[in-house]
Amino acid sequence: MNTNNKIQRLQALITRNLSEIIQFELKNPHLGFVSIPEVKVTNDLSHAKVYVSFFDQNQVESGMDVLEKSKGYIRSQLAKRMDTRRVPELTFVYDDTYQKVQKLDELIGKINK
């Protein structure tokens, strides 16, 4: 089996499972609405960088704090859902791509006026 294929499938599986765990199992009002646009797993499958974005920009700091404090719980829930020998260590990274796209759209809108 192609290692690259295996990593891509694992990344997709982790993304889907983490989205469900964070959305339905973490009951914290400080979290807000979170999306996971991407997960990148290292070649040795020991670490996963989880990129997260927040719908409400006022909840970024508190949301990242909640994710960091809940990392152990999230990883244990992930382990229950996956049939892999090891579950990678999770590192949450704020992804501000959506905000950058919004700013670019605003600038383009101003230029076109």
Side-chain angles (χ1 to χ4, degrees):
M1 183 189 318
N2 186 343
T3 304
N4 202 23
N5 251 356
K6 180 180 178 183
I7 289 174
Q8 286 178 333
R9 281 200 333 265
L10 183 64
Q11 288 174 164
L13 183 66
I14 290 173
T15 301
R16 189 181 75 230
N17 284 323
L18 284 179
S19 294
E20 291 173 1
I21 292 166
I22 290 169
Q23 187 174 4
F24 300 117
E25 295 181 29
L26 279 188
K27 309 240 185 291
N28 191 313
H30 301 293
L31 192 57
F33 183 75
V34 180
S35 70
I36 300 175
E38 186 177 23
V39 172
K40 287 189 177 178
V41 179
T42 56
N43 287 338
D44 65 357
L45 310 178
S46 64
H47 286 80
K49 230 180 219 183
V50 181
Y51 293 88
V52 293
S53 61
F54 295 85
F55 183 71
D56 182 356
Q57 289 310 293
N58 298 324
Q59 291 184 313
V60 171
E61 198 173 314
S62 63
M64 289 300 288
D65 193 43
V66 168
L67 290 174
E68 206 54 45
K69 288 179 179 169
S70 306
K71 193 186 292 190
Y73 172 78
I74 294 169
R75 187 168 180 240
S76 69
Q77 292 303 308
L78 185 61
K80 291 177 185 175
R81 294 169 178 238
M82 295 178 56
D83 58 353
T84 56
R85 212 172 337 127
R86 284 181 28 215
V87 174
E89 284 290 327
L90 303 175
T91 304
F92 291 102
V93 179
Y94 174 59
D95 179 13
D96 63 349
T97 305
Y98 179 71
Q99 283 66 40
K100 288 179 180 175
V101 168
Q102 275 186 318
K103 285 181 182 173
L104 274 175
D105 282 346
E106 285 175 22
L107 288 172
I108 291 169
K110 287 178 183 175
I111 290 171
N112 288 335
K113 283 185 181 176

